[in-house]
Amino acid sequence: MIIGGVLYFLLLCVNVVINSQLVDITEGIDRLVKQWSPLIWLSPDEKYMPLGVEEFLSHVHVADENGKNIRLSNSRLPSGYNSKLFYLVTKETLDSLKSDNTSHSVPVYAIVTHCSSYKSFHTSDKNNLKSDINAIYNKRENNFYFYVSYWTFFPYNEGKEICFLGRVPAPKIFSRCFGRLKTMGNHVGDWEHMSLSFAGNAFPDKLFLAVHDAGVYYQYDEKRRYFKFESKVIRKGVVQVPKFPQIVRSQGGHPVLFSAYGSHGLWASPGEHDFIRVPKLTDKNG
């Protein structure tokens, strides 16, 4: 009975220590996530401000392609492949929703994924595994290996006006369309995001900025306290020619970003940014 009691006491102590370490790790990550959250400047003429998803859902209903209301049997939104058959339609006109000038805070959704600095956990080599397990047991594992994605939600994306000659997209001449203008890419519900990766330090090592169908990586310069251009991600070949700013500056530790008018693409600097060659599509920020 005494031995059993001692064993129970030892197990209890180990459990308390482990739980305490997990609390410290969680609190540390939570602190870094808040400390490095982005500071986003909206366009001065922006009509559709960021919104919480819960509030957004209170203003829409599910409909078919003809706009007919659909009653959901389990009160849950459709998901997966079948959700392509459904649409979210506003209960009121967009103009009436825009007339609501109520000022209130909106959430930024942060999703954290924990990582490990030890690559050999992806191998079956028992010697490498033993070495890494011993390192963690002896507290040599740095726990701030994680990445976080910050998501902001906008209720509506205005898309872009494109000039057409017949059915073919055509460039504007001296800012004038000699065919017809057609709005494309507009849709209800619009997510934008930025990600940071932490590699064992109290500051991030990389920043990823998603810009429409493209993206860009920046490397953090600890001495200069800004993020410097590293590489870009292009998914549409030669027609996609975004020229990304070379630096993402920070303010009080927060990366400073600029949201494009109407489409909300996030860029590292204000101004006009071309991101598609044909038809020419431009984001206007700041």
Coordinates of all heavy atoms in Angstrom, one line a residue, residues 40 50 252:
I40 N -3.8 46.3 -40.3 CA -4.3 46.4 -41.6 C -5.0 47.7 -41.8 O -5.9 48.1 -41.1 CB -5.3 45.2 -42.0 CG1 -4.6 43.9 -41.8 CG2 -5.8 45.4 -43.4 CD1 -5.5 42.7 -41.9
P50 N -14.6 44.9 -42.7 CA -14.5 43.6 -42.1 C -15.6 43.3 -41.1 O -16.2 44.2 -40.5 CB -13.1 43.6 -41.4 CG -12.4 44.7 -42.0 CD -13.4 45.7 -42.4
G252 N 5.3 48.7 -33.9 CA 5.0 48.2 -32.6 C 5.1 46.6 -32.6 O 4.4 46.0 -31.8

